[in-house]
Amino acid sequence: MTRTVPRRTARSAANAPGPRSGARRGKVRVASGQGFWGDDLEAPVRQVNGGDIDYLMLDYLAEVTMSIMQKQRSRDPRAGYARDFVPLMERIFPACVERGIRVVTNAGGVNPAECARAVAGAGRRAGAGGGARIGVVTGDDLMDRLDELLASGHPLANMETGRPLAEIRDRVRSANVYLGARPIVAALDAGATVVVTGRSTDTALTYGPLAWEFGWPRDGWDLLASGVVAGHINECGAQASGGNCSAEWWSIPDLAGVGFPIIEAGPDGSFVVTKHPGSGGAVSLRTVKEQILYEMGDPSSYITPDVVADFTTIRLSEEGGDRVGVHGIRGRPPTPSLKVSVAHSAGYKAVGTLVYAWPDAAAKARAAARILRERLDRLGLAFEKVLVELVGWDATHGHLAGDPPPDLPEVQLRVGVRGPDRAAVERFTREVAPLVLTGPPSVTGFAGGRPRVQEIVAYWPALIDRRAVEPRVAVDMVEV
Amino acid sequence: MAEVPLLELAHARSGDKGDTANVGLMVYDERDYPIILKMVTPDRVKEHFKGLVQGPVERFRLDNLHAVNFLLHGALDGGGTVSLMTDAQGKVFSTALLRMRIEVPDEVAERVRGRGRHPGAGTGDSR
């Protein structure tokens, strides 16, 4: 790896204004290719081959993903990133190089450097060397800095409970700060055709390229806020283009070949949400609104590292032909803090299931749950929580579903336990199957074997003064 | 006046943030937005989810989208990886809210009748 952007420049990558002075082109198209790690593997290929795009953004990270990757890296120093990204790049690299499509992703997880190395190898194997350079963003991983930070007056208190991180310090599994668009802009400015980050915000993967292309200034709050809204619409893949749409879902065509969303933005921040011609799904006011409201808190204050966007200022217009126009968005300066996502070990859990058949399926399942609980009590096992659900009746809507009818054809009993004592949870997993021969009749569905004990890795959101982080943010370049 | 399920006036999507579920509620027809504002109050939503949502219910207006966003605090048994719930990430709280029954003028009830259900879904329980 060559560090073509020295630390000094990398610092300015985090702090300096956008380096471009003006727009390179009138319209920029940023295509969404993955909404989470595990999303449709063919979607990014369809985005590259299905029509003109300038950027492909791929979001791989969720809160818990970082701790899984941290565990992988502790076993193998070359692991700890979204491995799916490497074979994907091997498939699409030649087309991206040939057509000038840049790829921006947070696939780097807790090991962006190794991810970039692997992707460079994939590029060479695919014969895409020469025109390609990979920009690697680091500085988000606070795991090795935790004690230093705690000692120097950064309590990393839980945003919800106010408790200091010191209380759970020995159980921390990963700690990453959310970085915004500036390191992505710096990487593009250094000539990267692929940008690999660790814990970037999902939205920055879309508005980073827009900020660079159009030379948006650091204090262009309305422009950046527009980019954030574009990023929020793009970040969950097909959820903006007909997938998981509750408004007349049956009328949305060809979800088998669903087209993932594409943001077609102009220099003034206004943009159109669309998808490739001939692809499945739909882009309409309904599909776009549903995604805008997804995982929303206070809509007037959508906080990112670069800007606070006001979602109550969004103006939408249906343009027809799977095109929705978005404009009018206002933003204001960001906060002095950045958000930190800490994952920590928090006990154990297990979930067991059995299926009861007609007649009186629900009554049998409830009786079985009572027997199970009594046996757990007699064994002296204590849990922080025991949850009984009847899948097929009350698992999703609780008592709002009313009482089950006596002719319910079948129901799945689902019992979960959680607690700090691994041995107790382990013993629970051995108490489910015996119900088949020792409980109510007409029971089946236990062929999957004993439930698995899972370590709970819980999420601890915190804030940190951005000055403790930004000087460490760096961009390195890897030649393909 | 007539009583209809919210399902006939609005569509919804939900998600999570820690132990909080959010439900974004959007009307099919902007003429019905004032009804939502008046009838689907935080207090009524809190009452609707009694026993299922432990903490407070907040409502935010997005008049620009003819939508409201609810935050249901303490809805997910600790949320994400901690929760034992099938719906640990609050993905279907949206439809649980659409079960709520609200009073609307007769002509509105007439206009929206049957909306929100698959045309072949029959007349099953739509509480």
Side-chain angles (χ1 to χ4, degrees):
Chain A
M1 175 156 47
T2 55
R3 184 176 284 266
T4 58
V5 181
R7 284 274 170 200
R8 191 177 60 255
T9 316
R11 217 177 352 261
S12 76
N15 296 326
R20 301 199 67 85
S21 55
R24 298 169 70 217
R25 35 189 160 193
K27 286 265 185 289
V28 173
R29 290 163 64 90
V30 183
S32 168
Q34 290 281 278
F36 68 103
W37 193 10
D39 203 354
D40 183 352
L41 291 169
E42 298 306 308
V45 181
R46 293 199 299 269
Q47 289 290 56
V48 168
N49 295 330
D52 281 339
I53 60 171
D54 302 305
Y55 289 84
L56 178 67
M57 66 74 73
L58 304 157
D59 174 27
Y60 285 98
L61 300 184
E63 271 97 28
V64 69
T65 318
M66 302 303 278
S67 62
I68 296 167
M69 290 172 165
Q70 199 71 255
K71 190 182 263 183
Q72 291 170 347
R73 191 181 65 172
S74 69
R75 292 180 188 144
D76 174 1
R78 303 189 65 151
Y81 57 88
R83 290 181 190 254
D84 290 354
F85 179 56
V86 179
L88 168 67
M89 283 308 294
E90 198 162 342
R91 287 176 73 187
I92 64 174
F93 226 139
C96 289
V97 169
E98 189 189 318
R99 289 159 46 204
I101 299 168
R102 291 187 172 90
V103 178
V104 183
T105 181
N106 55 16
V110 300
N111 205 345
E114 278 301 327
C115 179
R117 221 187 292 270
V119 169
R124 285 190 288 271
R125 286 194 299 279
R133 302 178 88 195
I134 303 170
V136 187
V137 176
T138 54
D140 63 298
D141 193 339
L142 303 184
M143 194 59 182
D144 294 335
R145 299 183 58 202
L146 271 188
D147 293 318
E148 164 219 325
L149 289 167
L150 291 172
S152 60
H154 299 281
L156 297 171
N158 189 304
M159 289 167 70
E160 282 154 19
T161 64
R163 285 162 48 205
L165 188 74
E167 286 181 13
I168 56 144
R169 169 66 189 93
D170 57 332
R171 289 187 276 131
V172 171
R173 294 287 189 268
S174 68
N176 295 80
V177 62
Y178 285 84
L179 301 180
R182 286 182 218 151
I184 294 170
V185 169
L188 294 169
D189 210 47
T193 56
V194 177
V195 182
V196 173
T197 77
R199 185 63 277 192
S200 281
T201 59
D202 306 345
T203 52
L205 302 175
T206 293
Y207 74 83
L210 299 179
W212 180 65
E213 287 278 352
F214 297 132
W216 287 346
R218 253 185 83 171
D219 61 354
W221 310 125
D222 295 346
L223 298 168
L224 291 168
S226 299
V228 167
V229 173
H232 183 81
I233 291 170
N234 245 358
E235 75 183 29
C236 292
Q239 259 204 152
S241 53
N244 191 29
C245 180
S246 78
E248 296 176 358
W249 57 268
W250 56 88
S251 68
I252 293 168
D254 186 21
L255 282 173
V258 64
F260 275 42
I262 296 169
I263 299 295
E264 190 178 288
D268 68 351
S270 64
F271 61 92
V272 168
V273 189
T274 186
K275 63 188 185 71
H276 281 320
S279 63
V283 176
S284 67
L285 286 179
R286 291 172 178 181
T287 68
V288 171
K289 275 189 198 179
E290 284 204 8
Q291 178 54 25
I292 287 174
L293 283 153
Y294 180 63
E295 288 183 348
M296 178 57 49
D298 174 353
S300 67
S301 295
Y302 187 101
I303 301 171
T304 78
D306 300 299
V307 65
V308 178
D310 183 350
F311 278 46
T312 69
T313 59
I314 297 171
R315 295 283 176 270
L316 299 181
S317 55
E318 185 102 61
E319 298 188 357
D322 289 309
R323 293 174 67 84
V324 169
V326 187
H327 66 280
I329 298 151
R330 307 298 303 271
R332 53 186 192 276
T335 66
S337 310
L338 295 176
K339 190 170 176 184
V340 181
S341 165
V342 178
H344 65 100
S345 172
Y348 301 88
K349 67 176 180 179
V351 173
T353 61
L354 292 169
V355 173
Y356 289 85
W358 181 94
D360 306 320
K364 290 171 188 161
R366 283 182 174 151
R370 277 195 302 275
I371 294 164
L372 175 60
R373 295 191 75 144
E374 192 172 331
R375 288 180 181 161
L376 296 175
D377 286 345
R378 288 183 187 182
L379 287 167
L381 301 177
F383 299 100
E384 178 188 307
K385 172 97 176 195
V386 178
L387 181 71
V388 175
E389 294 178 332
L390 302 192
V391 179
W393 192 253
D394 70 357
T396 56
H397 289 182
H399 62 73
L400 295 170
D403 293 323
D407 280 336
L408 192 66
E410 67 205 23
V411 74
Q412 182 187 55
L413 170 65
R414 183 180 181 279
V415 183
V417 302
R418 175 175 75 224
D421 179 8
R422 185 177 184 118
V425 177
E426 179 73 42
R427 181 59 201 255
F428 159 80
T429 67
R430 292 159 189 267
E431 293 298 318
V432 180
L435 284 166
V436 172
L437 301 186
T438 63
S442 66
V443 54
T444 184
F446 48 87
R450 272 207 301 270
R452 197 167 54 85
V453 178
Q454 289 177 271
E455 182 189 10
I456 297 171
V457 178
Y459 172 59
W460 176 286
L463 295 176
I464 191 167
D465 185 332
R466 58 169 70 221
R467 291 171 300 184
V469 173
E470 286 176 340
R472 308 285 191 107
V473 175
V475 177
D476 297 288
M477 302 303 284
V478 177
E479 305 295 331
V480 176
Chain B
M1 298 294 275
E3 205 183 59
V4 300
L6 194 47
L7 177 73
E8 297 188 338
L9 293 177
H11 56 113
R13 175 171 294 177
S14 54
D16 67 320
K17 206 58 101 182
D19 196 21
T20 299
N22 96 293
V23 181
L25 187 68
M26 297 144 271
V27 291
Y28 285 101
D29 185 329
E30 60 186 74
R31 284 176 292 177
D32 297 331
Y33 184 55
I35 298 175
I36 298 290
L37 289 181
K38 182 164 171 236
M39 305 301 293
V40 192
T41 61
D43 286 346
R44 283 220 46 203
V45 172
K46 173 86 184 152
E47 179 65 24
H48 180 70
F49 282 112
K50 196 171 177 181
L52 301 175
V53 172
Q54 310 309 322
V57 170
E58 291 182 275
R59 187 182 83 172
F60 299 93
R61 289 168 61 154
L62 292 100
D63 294 350
N64 52 327
L65 304 180
H66 305 104
V68 288
N69 184 41
F70 289 97
L71 294 184
L72 314 175
H73 296 282
L76 300 175
D77 183 31
T81 54
V82 176
S83 178
L84 296 172
M85 293 164 62
T86 294
D87 190 21
Q89 292 174 297
K91 299 283 187 189
V92 297
F93 271 78
S94 49
T95 50
L97 179 59
L98 294 179
R99 287 176 176 274
M100 181 191 275
R101 297 190 74 85
I102 57 172
E103 289 248 301
V104 298
D106 290 334
E107 60 273 22
V108 173
E110 189 59 37
R111 171 162 57 77
V112 303
R113 181 170 299 147
R115 202 156 52 187
R117 297 300 299 266
H118 187 281
T123 56
D125 177 16
S126 67
R127 257 172 303 187

